[in-house]
Amino acid sequence: SVPSVEPTSSPTVTSCDDSPLNMFKNDKTCEWVGKNEKKRCEKEKGEVKYHCRSTCGQCGICVDSTVKFFWKDKKKKCKWVFRKIKRCKKNDLKMTCPKTCGLCD
């Protein structure tokens, strides 16, 4: 008999996930923010904390990242995701724009 194969599911994305996408000059990540979160979460007038929600302790707030992020080497914002909502199928974009992608309760 053929063994049954459990379907593999993609990891669950929540509104508390850090965005995995780079910001600034395509060279900074939430891991970089975490090396000095007191200072770096407040960069860009405090907007970085919404790109790196978990690192910056913003899990109770479900908002889209407001900093420009890089997608395929081009600067984007969540309103770009909103214009073609099917972009939310990409977990990296869903983690960056949880409100746009319907992850908020």
Side-chain angles (χ1 to χ4, degrees):
S1 79
V2 178
S4 65
V5 177
E6 288 291 316
T8 57
S9 61
S10 57
T12 303
V13 175
T14 72
S15 62
C16 186
D17 290 323
D18 283 343
S19 170
L21 301 176
N22 287 358
M23 55 190 154
F24 303 126
K25 294 179 178 151
N26 205 7
D27 62 346
K28 302 295 184 225
T29 63
C30 290
E31 188 176 320
W32 170 81
V33 171
K35 291 178 180 165
N36 186 355
E37 70 259 8
K38 273 196 166 109
K39 179 179 175 189
R40 294 175 179 165
C41 287
E42 295 307 316
K43 280 196 163 301
E44 299 295 301
K45 298 180 185 147
E47 293 182 0
V48 167
K49 67 182 166 229
Y50 302 119
H51 192 76
C52 306
R53 288 176 300 279
S54 181
T55 296
C56 296
Q58 298 299 309
C59 288
I61 306 167
C62 185
V63 293
D64 290 341
S65 174
T66 51
V67 296
K68 288 182 178 150
F69 54 86
F70 284 82
W71 182 255
K72 299 185 180 177
D73 290 323
K74 294 200 175 8
K75 273 188 180 179
K76 301 291 182 188
K77 289 194 97 170
C78 288
K79 63 184 172 189
W80 170 80
V81 175
F82 181 76
R83 286 199 291 268
K84 277 196 179 166
I85 209 70
K86 71 179 184 188
R87 291 177 175 140
C88 287
K89 290 180 180 169
K90 303 284 186 196
N91 274 351
D92 289 357
L93 292 173
K94 193 184 293 186
M95 292 160 78
T96 305
C97 308
K99 188 169 187 177
T100 292
C101 293
L103 292 180
C104 303
D105 292 336

